Amino acid sequence: MASTTLYPSDYQVHLFHEGTLYESYKLLGSQMIEEANEKWTKFSVWAPNASEVRVVGDFNNWNGKGYSLHKVNKQGIWTISLNENLEGCLYKYEIITKNGEVLLKADPYAFYSELRPNTASIVYSLEGFKWDDSRWLNYKSKRNHLADPISIYEVHLGSWKKKEDGGFFSYRELAAELIPYVLELGFTHIELLPIIEHPLDISWGYQGTGYFSATSRYGTPHDFMYFINECHKNGLGVILDWVPGHFCKDAHGLYQFDGSFLYDYPNEHDRENSVWGTANFNLGKNEVQSFLISSALFWIRYFHVDGFRLDAVSNLIYWPNQTGRVENNDGAAFLKKLNTVVFQYDPTILMIAEDSTDWPNVTSPVHYNGLGFNYKWNMGWMNDVLSYMETSSESRRKIHEKMTFSLLYAFNENFVLPFSHDEVVHGKKSLLDKMPGDYWQKFAQLRLLLGFMMGHPGKKLLFMGFELGHFSEWRDQEQLDWHLLEYDMHKKIYVYAKDLLKLYKRSKPLYEVDHLRDGFEWIDVNNAEQSIFSFVRKSKKENDLLVFVCNFTSVVYHDYRIGVPNKGSYREILNSDQESFGGSGIVNNKVLQAKEEAFHGKPYSIKLSIPPFGVSVLRLVKHRKERKGDEKEKMHSYAIGRRKRK
């Protein structure tokens, strides 16, 4: 028996239409309510172009007769409350448009959805999960992430590892498999390709239908909560890829939701995203702002996520179909509003922009006229470095500036250095296979590339499989080539990746002030002829520094002189040419004593051996008197319950 009681409040409705209802999932969607010792299930939907709306599902044999929603206001909110507990039931909205067309739509605010190819929403309660991550949340609240190491392992859950029958691992199974693996490698965060519900596997989640629904491919919302809870208990942050720019056009989704272009632009030229075959969100519409900002806060509140990487920001700040770059003021204003609200709710959240443009002040606060993110992917660095690496070593001297240009702007924003999934698909080759030369040279240059990345200012992101030395591109329908670890060179690149990440986390010069010019200093920036780059990384503490020497050719040098800023002894703490990493063994085993001979504009200099296609990392040795009373450096990526913080 249907009831028209339990209406939404006028205040909620007002805020939703004003664009400031940031918990709009409490106004709309399906909610289970207990009132006067009776259990009700309320369904509410925004459909202003509808002449009638019915709720249909397995609880009424998909027959909407007698289940019509009541129209709350002229702006098109409809609601019905049923005197039943319908938890677990399938449902959709049967929308009759003003033109008489009948549409069957999934709930935009559903918390759970049927496994594809089925498309119904599922009544689901998010309550009842017992979180056990208070130590992580407390720890995070006391940290300054700009001064901490951040190394991100980017993962597509459906193809990281698969079962023998080709099926997906569940969220809970992935917690047991993926978390220990990422901890062993030494990353601080896991970034998940979009887990919002989406109909097509090969979209990787970037073309979604359920912005409040964790995809059912891997289990229930509570299962996903379990995965994040286990990450936090082990000291791993979780970042979600999130797509507020566009959505898929499948019939059951947001597209032409009530027969009108409700969530997207009314103008076809602005609405249609021909690159992805999707529809662009109308970011200037108040109700869409309530929808999207509520989605972001929803994942923070109910799933305890630690951050978002916003996909294709250029598609939001510029009109996508205009000739040339025409600024979308609505898109920029939306991002400022989003970031302001998110940081008011939780100032520890990482808001990361995937932006390939030169839009200024992306990571400046909104009150300083910035977009308000706290990080931006350094796409320019990524493109320049990969272009340089794909060039033969003999020709690299001609494009030397590709490796140095990024330092002209490296401190204009807070950057993440990304080698993401986008760089290892669609014919672009894997990171290893991008490297020119023979088998040995490919591995040597991959080690060199990763070492240069760790030395360059900026937080780090690497896509799954790099550590295996994948020769093949990422294949989203198959698991990673785990069998590669049976082969010597692949096993050694895995060991190198672990040691490199360990070095990164243990070395304050590599992260403590890497967003400031004070943390970086060139030694020799102009040696194009030999394609050798040398530089210094520094922490806040005086004399706490690392020296990087990177050789991008196959030539070996002995007694190679470089200038250094400090007097004293230098010890090589990592060399990518170590035999244990698969190298030729051109290393510097002895302590290198700086002489008072000025070189490279520095007051002192040292001589060392330079390996082929190698990176050498030197640390200024602290003697006992200097070390006395100093606190030992701590490993940032503590594992709660496994390691004791010093």
Side-chain angles (χ1 to χ4, degrees):
M1 187 72 183
S3 169
T4 55
T5 61
L6 305 175
Y7 281 3
S9 73
D10 291 340
Y11 186 59
Q12 279 183 306
V13 171
H14 168 75
L15 293 179
F16 175 71
H17 293 303
E18 186 183 62
T20 57
L21 184 62
Y22 304 136
E23 293 182 335
S24 56
Y25 48 83
K26 292 184 177 180
L27 168 67
L28 301 168
S30 63
Q31 283 97 29
M32 286 164 285
I33 300 170
E34 191 164 334
E35 185 178 90
N37 296 320
E38 292 186 306
K39 292 184 178 180
W40 298 76
T41 306
K42 184 174 73 169
F43 298 91
S44 303
V45 66
W46 176 50
N49 194 53
S51 60
E52 185 179 2
V53 180
R54 302 166 180 167
V55 62
V56 298
D58 56 3
F59 55 88
N60 62 7
N61 295 315
W62 300 94
N63 184 344
K65 186 176 181 181
Y67 288 83
S68 293
L69 278 69
H70 174 73
K71 192 173 184 179
V72 173
N73 63 355
K74 63 181 181 181
Q75 291 95 341
I77 290 179
W78 304 73
T79 191
I80 187 174
S81 295
L82 305 179
N83 193 191
E84 301 176 68
N85 181 356
L86 298 179
E87 183 171 9
C89 289
L90 307 178
Y91 72 100
K92 282 188 176 181
Y93 294 116
E94 185 178 66
I95 296 175
I96 295 88
T97 72
K98 291 177 180 177
N99 297 327
E101 185 180 4
V102 179
L103 307 174
L104 270 180
K105 291 289 188 176
D107 189 346
Y109 286 87
F111 297 153
Y112 190 34
S113 306
E114 271 193 295
L115 179 63
R116 56 90 179 96
N118 297 322
T119 57
S121 302
I122 302 175
V123 179
Y124 191 89
S125 173
L126 295 172
E127 304 302 325
F129 182 80
K130 294 183 179 179
W131 286 93
D132 187 23
D133 64 347
S134 58
R135 289 185 65 185
W136 165 262
L137 298 177
N138 182 58
Y139 171 81
K140 188 176 67 164
S141 70
K142 296 177 181 178
R143 303 298 300 185
N144 172 13
H145 54 75
L146 286 172
D148 277 346
I150 294 180
S151 52
I152 303 166
Y153 188 70
E154 187 189 35
V155 180
H156 177 249
L157 292 180
S159 60
W160 178 73
K161 186 179 284 188
K162 291 197 172 185
K163 297 183 177 179
E164 289 186 6
D165 62 1
F168 295 133
F169 280 88
S170 71
Y171 292 119
R172 290 178 181 265
E173 291 167 333
L174 284 163
E177 294 273 340
L178 178 59
I179 293 172
Y181 181 81
V182 175
L183 285 173
E184 176 70 18
L185 274 172
F187 285 93
T188 65
H189 290 73
I190 296 175
E191 180 175 320
L192 303 178
L193 269 62
I195 53 80
I196 63 170
E197 196 55 81
H198 53 284
L200 191 63
D201 288 357
I202 62 173
S203 79
W204 312 331
Y206 289 96
Q207 299 178 15
T209 52
Y211 276 69
F212 298 82
S213 179
T215 178
S216 55
R217 286 167 174 79
Y218 317 117
T220 69
H222 279 171
D223 292 336
F224 187 45
M225 291 177 186
Y226 175 86
F227 174 83
I228 295 177
N229 190 56
E230 290 301 304
C231 284
H232 287 173
K233 285 166 63 178
N234 285 278
L236 282 173
V238 179
I239 300 168
L240 302 185
D241 270 19
W242 190 63
V243 190
H246 59 107
F247 56 88
C248 77
K249 295 162 66 174
D250 287 52
H252 69 285
L254 299 176
Y255 191 65
Q256 291 186 284
F257 186 78
D258 62 354
S260 69
F261 296 107
L262 188 61
Y263 286 87
D264 38 351
Y265 293 104
N267 183 303
E268 180 180 359
H269 189 259
D270 298 327
R271 178 176 66 250
E272 297 300 315
N273 198 312
S274 57
V275 174
W276 296 301
T278 55
N280 294 312
F281 275 111
N282 183 348
L283 299 175
K285 184 179 283 188
N286 289 342
E287 293 86 352
V288 173
Q289 293 176 19
S290 287
F291 173 79
L292 288 172
I293 296 175
S294 292
S295 172
L297 295 189
F298 170 82
W299 294 108
I300 299 169
R301 176 178 179 181
Y302 286 101
F303 291 85
H304 294 200
V305 302
D306 301 291
F308 300 95
R309 174 264 197 186
L310 268 67
D311 181 63
V313 166
S314 61
N315 189 64
L316 283 73
I317 56 180
Y318 293 104
W319 289 104
N321 298 327
Q322 298 289 345
T323 301
R325 287 183 177 173
V326 180
E327 294 181 10
N328 181 347
N329 292 328
D330 288 340
F334 164 75
L335 290 175
K336 292 178 180 181
K337 183 176 181 179
L338 166 72
N339 287 322
T340 298
V341 173
V342 165
F343 289 132
Q344 286 174 346
Y345 186 84
D346 185 348
T348 72
I349 295 297
L350 305 178
M351 295 297 287
I352 306 169
E354 188 242 344
D355 176 29
S356 57
T357 75
D358 57 359
W359 187 286
N361 301 319
V362 172
T363 59
S364 292
V366 172
H367 56 268
Y368 290 140
N369 200 33
L371 287 183
F373 291 92
N374 46 25
Y375 290 100
K376 171 182 173 175
W377 275 18
N378 196 334
M379 307 292 283
W381 174 88
M382 178 272 297
N383 285 317
D384 284 347
V385 168
L386 291 183
S387 173
Y388 181 88
M389 295 304 299
E390 291 179 276
T391 302
S392 68
S393 60
E394 296 82 8
S395 300
R396 285 172 178 165
R397 58 186 175 83
K398 300 176 183 177
I399 55 171
H400 187 80
E401 70 283 352
K402 282 187 176 290
M403 297 293 275
T404 62
F405 180 68
S406 60
L407 269 302
L408 297 178
Y409 63 83
F411 310 105
N412 293 349
E413 305 278 6
N414 302 324
F415 282 117
V416 173
L417 308 182
F419 289 141
S420 74
H421 66 280
D422 277 331
E423 310 319 315
V424 293
V425 290
H426 304 321
K428 295 179 184 178
K429 299 183 179 180
S430 68
L431 281 185
L432 177 65
D433 204 25
K434 291 177 192 289
M435 306 298 109
D438 60 28
Y439 182 82
W440 186 92
Q441 290 174 335
K442 283 180 178 291
F443 278 94
Q445 290 176 91
L446 178 58
R447 295 193 302 270
L448 170 60
L449 171 64
L450 296 173
F452 178 78
M453 177 193 197
M454 290 297 158
H456 193 285
K459 310 305 183 185
K460 325 298 178 185
L461 178 141
L462 287 152
F463 184 57
M464 64 181 197
F466 85 96
E467 73 280 9
L468 305 179
H470 250 234
F471 268 110
S472 62
E473 288 187 334
W474 172 43
R475 295 156 304 193
D476 56 78
Q477 298 297 301
E478 302 176 29
Q479 68 173 357
L480 296 182
D481 292 338
W482 294 105
H483 66 278
L484 291 175
L485 288 176
E486 299 172 13
Y487 298 91
D488 187 57
M489 288 296 281
H490 296 273
K491 190 184 301 180
K492 287 178 176 178
I493 196 72
Y494 176 86
V495 171
Y496 175 71
K498 282 174 52 179
D499 281 11
L500 193 59
L501 286 160
K502 185 185 296 183
L503 171 69
Y504 171 64
K505 289 195 297 185
R506 283 181 172 173
S507 304
K508 287 185 178 180
L510 295 182
Y511 60 80
E512 194 172 49
V513 288
D514 70 346
H515 58 295
L516 301 174
R517 294 188 185 276
D518 295 344
F520 180 90
E521 179 183 322
W522 280 112
I523 294 174
D524 187 3
V525 66
N526 297 315
N527 191 352
E529 197 57 38
Q530 294 175 304
S531 297
I532 293 177
F533 303 83
S534 51
F535 53 87
V536 179
R537 295 301 312 277
K538 296 177 283 187
S539 74
K540 292 179 181 178
K541 188 182 296 184
E542 188 178 1
N543 299 330
D544 184 21
L545 60 86
L546 298 180
V547 172
F548 278 72
V549 185
C550 305
N551 177 14
F552 288 88
T553 73
S554 60
V555 179
V556 177
Y557 299 93
H558 295 288
D559 292 327
Y560 186 93
R561 184 183 294 276
I562 64 167
V564 290
N566 292 67
K567 184 180 180 180
S569 304
Y570 291 79
R571 180 171 61 87
E572 185 170 79
I573 58 173
L574 184 135
N575 187 317
S576 65
D577 199 47
Q578 289 174 215
E579 291 181 1
S580 60
F581 299 149
S584 62
I586 307 296
V587 298
N588 298 277
N589 289 321
K590 294 181 179 180
V591 172
L592 307 172
Q593 188 66 41
K595 295 184 178 180
E596 292 191 32
E597 295 180 19
F599 203 69
H600 288 144
K602 303 293 185 286
Y604 307 97
S605 59
I606 58 175
K607 287 184 178 180
L608 70 160
S609 294
I610 307 290
F613 293 128
V615 54
S616 174
V617 185
L618 312 174
R619 184 188 294 279
L620 179 64
V621 175
K622 293 180 181 179
H623 297 288
R624 287 187 178 181
K625 287 184 180 180
E626 297 175 81
R627 292 200 306 262
K628 189 175 182 181
D630 285 355
E631 184 182 2
K632 293 181 180 179
E633 289 187 353
K634 302 173 184 177
M635 286 288 287
H636 170 69
S637 64
Y638 73 100
I640 300 173
R642 292 188 179 185
R643 303 179 180 93
K644 291 182 179 180
R645 297 215 324 253
K646 293 181 181 179

